[in-house]
Amino acid sequence: MNQAATRVQEWWHRAGWEAAAVGTSVRRALTGPGPERDLAVQAFKAAGAAILAWAVAGWWWQAPLALMAPWTAIALVQSTVYRSVRTGVQQVVLIAAGTVLAAVAAGLTDGNTMAAMAIVLPVTALLGNYSRFENQGVYASTTALFVLVYGSFGGFDILHRLLETLLGAVIGIGVNALVLPPVHLRHAHESLHRLPRDGAALLRSMAEEMERGYDRQQAQEWHSRARRLPQLVADLRNARMWSRESYRLNPAGRIRRSGQELPSTQWDAAWERVADHLTALTGMLAEAAGEEPRLRPPPDTVLADVPPLLHALADVCEADCAALSPPAPDAGGDRGDGGGGAAGGRDEAMERAWTAQRRLKTRLAGQDDETATSVGGLAAEIQRLLHDLDDARVAPRQA
């Protein structure tokens, strides 16, 4: 009974969390631009394309199997115009193949649906697994099933299937290309901001908790947060891919392009190394803490030098985040924090960090072997982190 009550409580908790997450997404979609609003726009566009395709094929044209038009249209309102066109070509080929193969199978079996299915479905299933068709392969088999079940495999019916599919493809691609065509540059900017922002938050937390005296549990929490940073790098690379693709074949690409250009991919590579160094640094601090540390804990005199260094590195990351932010609407020609002010603040923070690093390295003298291992590892990892943060400098915005 207690286990059942616990399961119900867990289920209720998950349901409440899911409802809260949905509510948050709806609120974000209604209150401002972002991924949630973009997703809602695409959903309404897909629904509108399907309704328009049905109005033309089913209501006005009264096609024999008008379902093919809205079915194709709704599937072709993809996340980019290029993807809509590519998917449209794949679907037209697969639906045409499924229709023709089903008609041939029906002719060979004198209209016996079961026998025709036994002939055509293995062929269409194999065809659908061809890598060039990606995840659209199922359309060959489903089209063959529609044709055989409805018994519409005459020459006139085959022609209608193809025309209905082409109609749906034209409407789906046209709606996606002409009605608020999707551009994913904002997603790339959001992913871009998260790296220096989350890096600064982690470094600041480490500095503040080390000043108060950290324990193994806190260090393990730092390590968990650091291990999430490589995923942000992967998200940024994925967002870059979507951003590039969203401008291909997009008639409104030049009109809707706005904001600062993305840094080069070398910036991503530098932050990938920064994430690796933070992961190694926090892991080492975790192993040098607790009742049975694997590494000898650095002396308090050494640990006292680390928080100012981490604060300075957090300032560097925050300056980068400011440099990546768009200028304020009322800033006019002034670039605000994204210009010289942020660059100057970053340079000053880097100088403070290097000064603290040099002071930390002087602590290596006079240490025993075990302590020197910990202090040397700490100093080496921080120095690598400094070099890669220097490589991750954001270029000033161009007017």
Side-chain angles (χ1 to χ4, degrees), residues 181-228:
V183 174
H184 293 273
L185 187 60
R186 182 167 58 234
H187 296 182
H189 278 301
E190 289 171 355
S191 298
L192 196 72
H193 277 80
R194 288 192 64 187
L195 277 166
R197 185 185 66 203
D198 289 9
L202 172 59
L203 289 162
R204 194 77 72 191
S205 295
M206 291 172 63
E208 292 172 352
E209 290 170 6
M210 287 183 75
E211 288 170 338
R212 296 191 295 267
Y214 78 99
D215 56 23
R216 188 179 183 87
Q217 183 176 358
Q218 288 173 316
Q220 287 175 337
E221 174 61 25
W222 302 338
H223 190 54
S224 297
R225 291 171 63 180
R227 290 174 63 186
R228 289 195 286 268

mmCIF file of all heavy atoms in Angstrom, residues 181-228:
data_model
loop_
_atom_site.group_PDB
_atom_site.id
_atom_site.type_symbol
_atom_site.label_atom_id
_atom_site.label_comp_id
_atom_site.label_asym_id
_atom_site.label_seq_id
_atom_site.Cartn_x
_atom_site.Cartn_y
_atom_site.Cartn_z
ATOM 1 N N PRO A 181 8.938 32.840 -43.039
ATOM 2 C CA PRO A 181 9.893 31.741 -43.232
ATOM 3 C C PRO A 181 10.848 31.644 -42.054
ATOM 4 O O PRO A 181 11.368 32.658 -41.587
ATOM 5 C CB PRO A 181 10.624 32.123 -44.527
ATOM 6 C CG PRO A 181 10.374 33.584 -44.703
ATOM 7 C CD PRO A 181 9.046 33.868 -44.090
ATOM 8 N N PRO A 182 11.071 30.435 -41.545
ATOM 9 C CA PRO A 182 11.860 30.290 -40.315
ATOM 10 C C PRO A 182 13.336 30.608 -40.513
ATOM 11 O O PRO A 182 13.954 30.176 -41.486
ATOM 12 C CB PRO A 182 11.669 28.805 -39.943
ATOM 13 C CG PRO A 182 11.345 28.131 -41.237
ATOM 14 C CD PRO A 182 10.590 29.147 -42.053
ATOM 15 N N VAL A 183 13.886 31.398 -39.581
ATOM 16 C CA VAL A 183 15.313 31.705 -39.527
ATOM 17 C C VAL A 183 15.769 31.416 -38.109
ATOM 18 O O VAL A 183 15.175 31.900 -37.148
ATOM 19 C CB VAL A 183 15.587 33.175 -39.900
ATOM 20 C CG1 VAL A 183 17.057 33.518 -39.688
ATOM 21 C CG2 VAL A 183 15.189 33.446 -41.342
ATOM 22 N N HIS A 184 16.829 30.623 -37.972
ATOM 23 C CA HIS A 184 17.223 30.113 -36.655
ATOM 24 C C HIS A 184 18.424 30.838 -36.059
ATOM 25 O O HIS A 184 19.092 30.320 -35.177
ATOM 26 C CB HIS A 184 17.536 28.613 -36.755
ATOM 27 C CG HIS A 184 16.340 27.782 -37.065
ATOM 28 N ND1 HIS A 184 15.498 27.289 -36.096
ATOM 29 C CD2 HIS A 184 15.823 27.372 -38.248
ATOM 30 C CE1 HIS A 184 14.524 26.604 -36.660
ATOM 31 N NE2 HIS A 184 14.702 26.638 -37.969
ATOM 32 N N LEU A 185 18.688 32.078 -36.509
ATOM 33 C CA LEU A 185 19.834 32.806 -35.975
ATOM 34 C C LEU A 185 19.673 33.072 -34.476
ATOM 35 O O LEU A 185 20.638 33.043 -33.717
ATOM 36 C CB LEU A 185 20.008 34.118 -36.737
ATOM 37 C CG LEU A 185 21.258 34.940 -36.414
ATOM 38 C CD1 LEU A 185 22.512 34.135 -36.713
ATOM 39 C CD2 LEU A 185 21.258 36.249 -37.189
ATOM 40 N N ARG A 186 18.424 33.335 -34.042
ATOM 41 C CA ARG A 186 18.196 33.610 -32.625
ATOM 42 C C ARG A 186 18.576 32.410 -31.762
ATOM 43 O O ARG A 186 19.122 32.565 -30.671
ATOM 44 C CB ARG A 186 16.725 33.992 -32.397
ATOM 45 C CG ARG A 186 16.413 34.330 -30.956
ATOM 46 C CD ARG A 186 15.064 34.996 -30.800
ATOM 47 N NE ARG A 186 13.983 34.185 -31.320
ATOM 48 C CZ ARG A 186 13.110 34.605 -32.217
ATOM 49 N NH1 ARG A 186 13.213 35.812 -32.733
ATOM 50 N NH2 ARG A 186 12.131 33.825 -32.636
ATOM 51 N N HIS A 187 18.298 31.208 -32.233
ATOM 52 C CA HIS A 187 18.653 30.010 -31.469
ATOM 53 C C HIS A 187 20.172 29.925 -31.296
ATOM 54 O O HIS A 187 20.667 29.555 -30.225
ATOM 55 C CB HIS A 187 18.154 28.761 -32.194
ATOM 56 C CG HIS A 187 16.662 28.708 -32.299
ATOM 57 N ND1 HIS A 187 16.002 27.649 -32.875
ATOM 58 C CD2 HIS A 187 15.697 29.568 -31.902
ATOM 59 C CE1 HIS A 187 14.699 27.860 -32.839
ATOM 60 N NE2 HIS A 187 14.495 29.018 -32.260
ATOM 61 N N ALA A 188 20.912 30.278 -32.353
ATOM 62 C CA ALA A 188 22.372 30.237 -32.251
ATOM 63 C C ALA A 188 22.862 31.274 -31.244
ATOM 64 O O ALA A 188 23.781 31.008 -30.459
ATOM 65 C CB ALA A 188 23.000 30.479 -33.624
ATOM 66 N N HIS A 189 22.263 32.468 -31.249
ATOM 67 C CA HIS A 189 22.672 33.494 -30.289
ATOM 68 C C HIS A 189 22.371 33.068 -28.855
ATOM 69 O O HIS A 189 23.168 33.326 -27.939
ATOM 70 C CB HIS A 189 21.970 34.814 -30.601
ATOM 71 C CG HIS A 189 22.638 35.601 -31.692
ATOM 72 N ND1 HIS A 189 23.944 36.014 -31.618
ATOM 73 C CD2 HIS A 189 22.176 36.043 -32.898
ATOM 74 C CE1 HIS A 189 24.260 36.683 -32.711
ATOM 75 N NE2 HIS A 189 23.208 36.698 -33.508
ATOM 76 N N GLU A 190 21.238 32.411 -28.652
ATOM 77 C CA GLU A 190 20.901 31.949 -27.297
ATOM 78 C C GLU A 190 21.908 30.902 -26.819
ATOM 79 O O GLU A 190 22.364 30.941 -25.671
ATOM 80 C CB GLU A 190 19.487 31.379 -27.284
ATOM 81 C CG GLU A 190 18.405 32.452 -27.437
ATOM 82 C CD GLU A 190 17.029 31.867 -27.631
ATOM 83 O OE1 GLU A 190 16.913 30.632 -27.742
ATOM 84 O OE2 GLU A 190 16.062 32.649 -27.677
ATOM 85 N N SER A 191 22.264 29.967 -27.704
ATOM 86 C CA SER A 191 23.260 28.963 -27.335
ATOM 87 C C SER A 191 24.616 29.613 -27.092
ATOM 88 O O SER A 191 25.371 29.209 -26.198
ATOM 89 C CB SER A 191 23.388 27.916 -28.451
ATOM 90 O OG SER A 191 22.163 27.235 -28.649
ATOM 91 N N LEU A 192 24.921 30.640 -27.893
ATOM 92 C CA LEU A 192 26.189 31.344 -27.765
ATOM 93 C C LEU A 192 26.316 32.014 -26.396
ATOM 94 O O LEU A 192 27.360 31.953 -25.745
ATOM 95 C CB LEU A 192 26.283 32.385 -28.877
ATOM 96 C CG LEU A 192 27.643 32.984 -29.195
ATOM 97 C CD1 LEU A 192 28.504 31.943 -29.880
ATOM 98 C CD2 LEU A 192 27.462 34.192 -30.107
ATOM 99 N N HIS A 193 25.241 32.652 -25.933
ATOM 100 C CA HIS A 193 25.273 33.352 -24.650
ATOM 101 C C HIS A 193 25.412 32.400 -23.462
ATOM 102 O O HIS A 193 25.986 32.768 -22.438
ATOM 103 C CB HIS A 193 23.996 34.175 -24.470
ATOM 104 C CG HIS A 193 24.038 35.505 -25.139
ATOM 105 N ND1 HIS A 193 23.820 35.658 -26.493
ATOM 106 C CD2 HIS A 193 24.305 36.748 -24.663
ATOM 107 C CE1 HIS A 193 23.920 36.938 -26.808
ATOM 108 N NE2 HIS A 193 24.219 37.618 -25.718
ATOM 109 N N ARG A 194 24.875 31.213 -23.601
ATOM 110 C CA ARG A 194 24.846 30.313 -22.450
ATOM 111 C C ARG A 194 26.239 29.881 -22.006
ATOM 112 O O ARG A 194 26.456 29.669 -20.807
ATOM 113 C CB ARG A 194 23.997 29.074 -22.775
ATOM 114 C CG ARG A 194 22.508 29.344 -22.842
ATOM 115 C CD ARG A 194 21.730 28.049 -22.867
ATOM 116 N NE ARG A 194 21.904 27.297 -21.630
ATOM 117 C CZ ARG A 194 21.441 26.061 -21.455
ATOM 118 N NH1 ARG A 194 20.815 25.434 -22.440
ATOM 119 N NH2 ARG A 194 21.632 25.437 -20.315
ATOM 120 N N LEU A 195 27.171 29.750 -22.938
ATOM 121 C CA LEU A 195 28.506 29.288 -22.558
ATOM 122 C C LEU A 195 29.207 30.262 -21.609
ATOM 123 O O LEU A 195 29.567 29.882 -20.489
ATOM 124 C CB LEU A 195 29.342 29.031 -23.804
ATOM 125 C CG LEU A 195 29.130 27.664 -24.456
ATOM 126 C CD1 LEU A 195 29.737 27.634 -25.846
ATOM 127 C CD2 LEU A 195 29.742 26.564 -23.592
ATOM 128 N N PRO A 196 29.444 31.540 -21.998
ATOM 129 C CA PRO A 196 30.094 32.439 -21.040
ATOM 130 C C PRO A 196 29.231 32.736 -19.820
ATOM 131 O O PRO A 196 29.752 32.931 -18.717
ATOM 132 C CB PRO A 196 30.351 33.705 -21.864
ATOM 133 C CG PRO A 196 29.417 33.635 -23.010
ATOM 134 C CD PRO A 196 29.218 32.181 -23.301
ATOM 135 N N ARG A 197 27.914 32.738 -19.990
ATOM 136 C CA ARG A 197 27.043 33.020 -18.840
ATOM 137 C C ARG A 197 27.126 31.902 -17.813
ATOM 138 O O ARG A 197 27.323 32.160 -16.613
ATOM 139 C CB ARG A 197 25.595 33.182 -19.328
ATOM 140 C CG ARG A 197 24.616 33.607 -18.240
ATOM 141 C CD ARG A 197 23.218 33.613 -18.791
ATOM 142 N NE ARG A 197 22.777 32.277 -19.149
ATOM 143 C CZ ARG A 197 21.819 32.016 -20.038
ATOM 144 N NH1 ARG A 197 21.224 32.997 -20.678
ATOM 145 N NH2 ARG A 197 21.468 30.779 -20.304
ATOM 146 N N ASP A 198 26.988 30.646 -18.262
ATOM 147 C CA ASP A 198 27.059 29.528 -17.325
ATOM 148 C C ASP A 198 28.474 29.343 -16.791
ATOM 149 O O ASP A 198 28.662 28.954 -15.636
ATOM 150 C CB ASP A 198 26.580 28.242 -18.003
ATOM 151 C CG ASP A 198 25.080 28.244 -18.248
ATOM 152 O OD1 ASP A 198 24.446 29.294 -18.047
ATOM 153 O OD2 ASP A 198 24.542 27.195 -18.645
ATOM 154 N N GLY A 199 29.485 29.612 -17.639
ATOM 155 C CA GLY A 199 30.865 29.540 -17.165
ATOM 156 C C GLY A 199 31.135 30.560 -16.081
ATOM 157 O O GLY A 199 31.774 30.257 -15.060
ATOM 158 N N ALA A 200 30.632 31.792 -16.259
ATOM 159 C CA ALA A 200 30.819 32.832 -15.243
ATOM 160 C C ALA A 200 30.112 32.451 -13.947
ATOM 161 O O ALA A 200 30.660 32.636 -12.845
ATOM 162 C CB ALA A 200 30.289 34.168 -15.766
ATOM 163 N N ALA A 201 28.896 31.903 -14.054
ATOM 164 C CA ALA A 201 28.157 31.517 -12.849
ATOM 165 C C ALA A 201 28.890 30.422 -12.078
ATOM 166 O O ALA A 201 28.959 30.454 -10.842
ATOM 167 C CB ALA A 201 26.751 31.053 -13.234
ATOM 168 N N LEU A 202 29.457 29.457 -12.802
ATOM 169 C CA LEU A 202 30.203 28.384 -12.148
ATOM 170 C C LEU A 202 31.454 28.927 -11.466
ATOM 171 O O LEU A 202 31.733 28.608 -10.302
ATOM 172 C CB LEU A 202 30.582 27.322 -13.188
ATOM 173 C CG LEU A 202 31.540 26.220 -12.717
ATOM 174 C CD1 LEU A 202 30.949 25.450 -11.542
ATOM 175 C CD2 LEU A 202 31.880 25.277 -13.869
ATOM 176 N N LEU A 203 32.216 29.746 -12.167
ATOM 177 C CA LEU A 203 33.439 30.301 -11.587
ATOM 178 C C LEU A 203 33.139 31.168 -10.375
ATOM 179 O O LEU A 203 33.862 31.132 -9.372
ATOM 180 C CB LEU A 203 34.188 31.115 -12.651
ATOM 181 C CG LEU A 203 34.850 30.294 -13.761
ATOM 182 C CD1 LEU A 203 35.180 31.172 -14.961
ATOM 183 C CD2 LEU A 203 36.109 29.609 -13.247
ATOM 184 N N ARG A 204 32.052 31.938 -10.442
ATOM 185 C CA ARG A 204 31.679 32.797 -9.314
ATOM 186 C C ARG A 204 31.282 31.954 -8.112
ATOM 187 O O ARG A 204 31.663 32.254 -6.965
ATOM 188 C CB ARG A 204 30.541 33.722 -9.734
ATOM 189 C CG ARG A 204 30.290 34.868 -8.771
ATOM 190 C CD ARG A 204 31.324 35.948 -8.926
ATOM 191 N NE ARG A 204 31.181 36.700 -10.148
ATOM 192 C CZ ARG A 204 32.075 37.546 -10.608
ATOM 193 N NH1 ARG A 204 33.218 37.725 -9.949
ATOM 194 N NH2 ARG A 204 31.890 38.208 -11.735
ATOM 195 N N SER A 205 30.512 30.903 -8.345
ATOM 196 C CA SER A 205 30.119 30.026 -7.236
ATOM 197 C C SER A 205 31.332 29.368 -6.603
ATOM 198 O O SER A 205 31.436 29.283 -5.371
ATOM 199 C CB SER A 205 29.150 28.951 -7.736
ATOM 200 O OG SER A 205 27.941 29.512 -8.177
ATOM 201 N N MET A 206 32.247 28.889 -7.435
ATOM 202 C CA MET A 206 33.460 28.264 -6.907
ATOM 203 C C MET A 206 34.243 29.246 -6.033
ATOM 204 O O MET A 206 34.699 28.901 -4.929
ATOM 205 C CB MET A 206 34.340 27.774 -8.062
ATOM 206 C CG MET A 206 33.765 26.608 -8.841
ATOM 207 S SD MET A 206 34.732 26.235 -10.334
ATOM 208 C CE MET A 206 36.303 25.756 -9.601
ATOM 209 N N ALA A 207 34.400 30.483 -6.528
ATOM 210 C CA ALA A 207 35.172 31.473 -5.776
ATOM 211 C C ALA A 207 34.514 31.780 -4.434
ATOM 212 O O ALA A 207 35.184 31.810 -3.386
ATOM 213 C CB ALA A 207 35.312 32.749 -6.609
ATOM 214 N N GLU A 208 33.212 31.991 -4.432
ATOM 215 C CA GLU A 208 32.520 32.362 -3.197
ATOM 216 C C GLU A 208 32.513 31.219 -2.188
ATOM 217 O O GLU A 208 32.696 31.437 -0.978
ATOM 218 C CB GLU A 208 31.093 32.801 -3.526
ATOM 219 C CG GLU A 208 31.043 34.113 -4.315
ATOM 220 C CD GLU A 208 29.647 34.452 -4.796
ATOM 221 O OE1 GLU A 208 28.741 33.582 -4.645
ATOM 222 O OE2 GLU A 208 29.448 35.559 -5.337
ATOM 223 N N GLU A 209 32.318 29.989 -2.670
ATOM 224 C CA GLU A 209 32.278 28.855 -1.745
ATOM 225 C C GLU A 209 33.678 28.487 -1.248
ATOM 226 O O GLU A 209 33.831 28.028 -0.105
ATOM 227 C CB GLU A 209 31.600 27.666 -2.430
ATOM 228 C CG GLU A 209 30.099 27.909 -2.632
ATOM 229 C CD GLU A 209 29.433 26.870 -3.516
ATOM 230 O OE1 GLU A 209 30.120 25.890 -3.888
ATOM 231 O OE2 GLU A 209 28.242 27.030 -3.843
ATOM 232 N N MET A 210 34.692 28.701 -2.066
ATOM 233 C CA MET A 210 36.056 28.467 -1.585
ATOM 234 C C MET A 210 36.447 29.490 -0.523
ATOM 235 O O MET A 210 37.193 29.175 0.411
ATOM 236 C CB MET A 210 37.046 28.513 -2.752
ATOM 237 C CG MET A 210 36.981 27.288 -3.661
ATOM 238 S SD MET A 210 38.226 27.323 -4.968
ATOM 239 C CE MET A 210 39.682 26.909 -4.035
ATOM 240 N N GLU A 211 35.959 30.716 -0.648
ATOM 241 C CA GLU A 211 36.241 31.725 0.361
ATOM 242 C C GLU A 211 35.664 31.342 1.724
ATOM 243 O O GLU A 211 36.245 31.638 2.771
ATOM 244 C CB GLU A 211 35.672 33.081 -0.076
ATOM 245 C CG GLU A 211 36.454 33.727 -1.215
ATOM 246 C CD GLU A 211 35.744 34.945 -1.783
ATOM 247 O OE1 GLU A 211 34.509 35.052 -1.601
ATOM 248 O OE2 GLU A 211 36.410 35.757 -2.425
ATOM 249 N N ARG A 212 34.518 30.661 1.699
ATOM 250 C CA ARG A 212 33.889 30.227 2.956
ATOM 251 C C ARG A 212 34.429 28.885 3.435
ATOM 252 O O ARG A 212 34.161 28.482 4.562
ATOM 253 C CB ARG A 212 32.362 30.140 2.776
ATOM 254 C CG ARG A 212 31.699 31.479 2.478
ATOM 255 C CD ARG A 212 30.195 31.365 2.570
ATOM 256 N NE ARG A 212 29.642 30.485 1.557
ATOM 257 C CZ ARG A 212 29.198 30.901 0.379
ATOM 258 N NH1 ARG A 212 29.270 32.185 0.039
ATOM 259 N NH2 ARG A 212 28.692 30.049 -0.491
ATOM 260 N N GLY A 213 35.138 28.167 2.563
ATOM 261 C CA GLY A 213 35.622 26.833 2.901
ATOM 262 C C GLY A 213 34.715 25.771 2.306
ATOM 263 O O GLY A 213 33.611 25.549 2.799
ATOM 264 N N TYR A 214 35.184 25.121 1.232
ATOM 265 C CA TYR A 214 34.339 24.163 0.520
ATOM 266 C C TYR A 214 34.577 22.748 1.025
ATOM 267 O O TYR A 214 35.587 22.451 1.682
ATOM 268 C CB TYR A 214 34.609 24.248 -0.985
ATOM 269 C CG TYR A 214 35.872 23.556 -1.437
ATOM 270 C CD1 TYR A 214 35.824 22.278 -1.999
ATOM 271 C CD2 TYR A 214 37.114 24.168 -1.317
ATOM 272 C CE1 TYR A 214 36.975 21.632 -2.423
ATOM 273 C CE2 TYR A 214 38.272 23.529 -1.742
ATOM 274 C CZ TYR A 214 38.194 22.266 -2.291
ATOM 275 O OH TYR A 214 39.345 21.629 -2.704
ATOM 276 N N ASP A 215 33.606 21.866 0.730
ATOM 277 C CA ASP A 215 33.761 20.455 1.063
ATOM 278 C C ASP A 215 33.637 19.623 -0.212
ATOM 279 O O ASP A 215 33.441 20.166 -1.310
ATOM 280 C CB ASP A 215 32.726 20.017 2.109
ATOM 281 C CG ASP A 215 31.290 20.294 1.670
ATOM 282 O OD1 ASP A 215 31.044 20.401 0.447
ATOM 283 O OD2 ASP A 215 30.408 20.400 2.550
ATOM 284 N N ARG A 216 33.758 18.313 -0.064
ATOM 285 C CA ARG A 216 33.744 17.424 -1.236
ATOM 286 C C ARG A 216 32.414 17.486 -1.985
ATOM 287 O O ARG A 216 32.388 17.472 -3.218
ATOM 288 C CB ARG A 216 34.039 15.986 -0.790
ATOM 289 C CG ARG A 216 34.234 15.026 -1.965
ATOM 290 C CD ARG A 216 34.541 13.618 -1.461
ATOM 291 N NE ARG A 216 34.795 12.711 -2.562
ATOM 292 C CZ ARG A 216 35.981 12.522 -3.128
ATOM 293 N NH1 ARG A 216 37.031 13.201 -2.689
ATOM 294 N NH2 ARG A 216 36.136 11.665 -4.123
ATOM 295 N N GLN A 217 31.317 17.593 -1.249
ATOM 296 C CA GLN A 217 30.007 17.626 -1.894
ATOM 297 C C GLN A 217 29.879 18.863 -2.791
ATOM 298 O O GLN A 217 29.369 18.780 -3.911
ATOM 299 C CB GLN A 217 28.901 17.618 -0.840
ATOM 300 C CG GLN A 217 27.498 17.584 -1.441
ATOM 301 C CD GLN A 217 26.430 17.476 -0.363
ATOM 302 O OE1 GLN A 217 26.724 17.392 0.818
ATOM 303 N NE2 GLN A 217 25.174 17.502 -0.789
ATOM 304 N N GLN A 218 30.344 20.014 -2.295
ATOM 305 C CA GLN A 218 30.291 21.218 -3.117
ATOM 306 C C GLN A 218 31.176 21.078 -4.350
ATOM 307 O O GLN A 218 30.787 21.473 -5.450
ATOM 308 C CB GLN A 218 30.726 22.422 -2.284
ATOM 309 C CG GLN A 218 29.712 22.847 -1.233
ATOM 310 C CD GLN A 218 30.251 23.935 -0.331
ATOM 311 O OE1 GLN A 218 31.400 23.869 0.114
ATOM 312 N NE2 GLN A 218 29.430 24.929 -0.050
ATOM 313 N N ALA A 219 32.359 20.504 -4.167
ATOM 314 C CA ALA A 219 33.258 20.321 -5.312
ATOM 315 C C ALA A 219 32.660 19.367 -6.340
ATOM 316 O O ALA A 219 32.816 19.560 -7.553
ATOM 317 C CB ALA A 219 34.608 19.808 -4.832
ATOM 318 N N GLN A 220 31.969 18.346 -5.877
ATOM 319 C CA GLN A 220 31.320 17.427 -6.815
ATOM 320 C C GLN A 220 30.191 18.124 -7.575
ATOM 321 O O GLN A 220 29.954 17.835 -8.752
ATOM 322 C CB GLN A 220 30.798 16.207 -6.052
ATOM 323 C CG GLN A 220 31.906 15.265 -5.599
ATOM 324 C CD GLN A 220 31.387 14.134 -4.733
ATOM 325 O OE1 GLN A 220 30.327 14.231 -4.102
ATOM 326 N NE2 GLN A 220 32.147 13.044 -4.682
ATOM 327 N N GLU A 221 29.506 19.045 -6.901
ATOM 328 C CA GLU A 221 28.478 19.824 -7.581
ATOM 329 C C GLU A 221 29.112 20.726 -8.646
ATOM 330 O O GLU A 221 28.578 20.861 -9.753
ATOM 331 C CB GLU A 221 27.702 20.659 -6.563
ATOM 332 C CG GLU A 221 26.687 21.614 -7.177
ATOM 333 C CD GLU A 221 25.601 20.920 -7.970
ATOM 334 O OE1 GLU A 221 25.315 19.726 -7.710
ATOM 335 O OE2 GLU A 221 25.037 21.564 -8.876
ATOM 336 N N TRP A 222 30.258 21.342 -8.332
ATOM 337 C CA TRP A 222 30.959 22.118 -9.357
ATOM 338 C C TRP A 222 31.311 21.234 -10.542
ATOM 339 O O TRP A 222 31.164 21.636 -11.691
ATOM 340 C CB TRP A 222 32.263 22.700 -8.799
ATOM 341 C CG TRP A 222 32.146 23.583 -7.604
ATOM 342 C CD1 TRP A 222 31.039 24.259 -7.185
ATOM 343 C CD2 TRP A 222 33.186 23.877 -6.668
ATOM 344 N NE1 TRP A 222 31.326 24.955 -6.041
ATOM 345 C CE2 TRP A 222 32.634 24.750 -5.705
ATOM 346 C CE3 TRP A 222 34.522 23.498 -6.549
ATOM 347 C CZ2 TRP A 222 33.382 25.242 -4.641
ATOM 348 C CZ3 TRP A 222 35.274 23.992 -5.497
ATOM 349 C CH2 TRP A 222 34.707 24.859 -4.549
ATOM 350 N N HIS A 223 31.779 20.032 -10.237
ATOM 351 C CA HIS A 223 32.185 19.106 -11.306
ATOM 352 C C HIS A 223 30.985 18.743 -12.183
ATOM 353 O O HIS A 223 31.108 18.681 -13.422
ATOM 354 C CB HIS A 223 32.793 17.861 -10.679
ATOM 355 C CG HIS A 223 33.449 16.942 -11.663
ATOM 356 N ND1 HIS A 223 34.427 17.351 -12.546
ATOM 357 C CD2 HIS A 223 33.259 15.612 -11.910
ATOM 358 C CE1 HIS A 223 34.806 16.333 -13.289
ATOM 359 N NE2 HIS A 223 34.121 15.275 -12.932
ATOM 360 N N SER A 224 29.832 18.517 -11.570
ATOM 361 C CA SER A 224 28.623 18.197 -12.347
ATOM 362 C C SER A 224 28.240 19.361 -13.255
ATOM 363 O O SER A 224 27.867 19.164 -14.421
ATOM 364 C CB SER A 224 27.467 17.861 -11.403
ATOM 365 O OG SER A 224 27.756 16.702 -10.649
ATOM 366 N N ARG A 225 28.331 20.573 -12.740
ATOM 367 C CA ARG A 225 28.003 21.742 -13.560
ATOM 368 C C ARG A 225 29.003 21.918 -14.695
ATOM 369 O O ARG A 225 28.622 22.262 -15.821
ATOM 370 C CB ARG A 225 27.959 22.992 -12.680
ATOM 371 C CG ARG A 225 26.795 23.017 -11.710
ATOM 372 C CD ARG A 225 26.904 24.160 -10.716
ATOM 373 N NE ARG A 225 26.845 25.459 -11.369
ATOM 374 C CZ ARG A 225 26.914 26.618 -10.701
ATOM 375 N NH1 ARG A 225 27.056 26.614 -9.380
ATOM 376 N NH2 ARG A 225 26.847 27.762 -11.358
ATOM 377 N N ALA A 226 30.279 21.683 -14.407
ATOM 378 C CA ALA A 226 31.294 21.804 -15.454
ATOM 379 C C ALA A 226 31.092 20.761 -16.556
ATOM 380 O O ALA A 226 31.322 21.046 -17.743
ATOM 381 C CB ALA A 226 32.686 21.666 -14.852
ATOM 382 N N ARG A 227 30.655 19.584 -16.182
ATOM 383 C CA ARG A 227 30.458 18.515 -17.175
ATOM 384 C C ARG A 227 29.280 18.802 -18.100
ATOM 385 O O ARG A 227 29.144 18.164 -19.148
ATOM 386 C CB ARG A 227 30.252 17.178 -16.457
ATOM 387 C CG ARG A 227 31.525 16.668 -15.794
ATOM 388 C CD ARG A 227 31.256 15.427 -14.982
ATOM 389 N NE ARG A 227 30.807 14.327 -15.823
ATOM 390 C CZ ARG A 227 30.399 13.152 -15.352
ATOM 391 N NH1 ARG A 227 30.393 12.943 -14.030
ATOM 392 N NH2 ARG A 227 30.031 12.199 -16.161
ATOM 393 N N ARG A 228 28.422 19.748 -17.741
ATOM 394 C CA ARG A 228 27.321 20.121 -18.620
ATOM 395 C C ARG A 228 27.751 21.112 -19.692
ATOM 396 O O ARG A 228 27.042 21.299 -20.689
ATOM 397 C CB ARG A 228 26.161 20.710 -17.800
ATOM 398 C CG ARG A 228 25.423 19.685 -16.960
ATOM 399 C CD ARG A 228 24.093 20.228 -16.472
ATOM 400 N NE ARG A 228 24.248 21.201 -15.407
ATOM 401 C CZ ARG A 228 24.242 20.915 -14.110
ATOM 402 N NH1 ARG A 228 24.105 19.644 -13.733
ATOM 403 N NH2 ARG A 228 24.371 21.849 -13.205
#
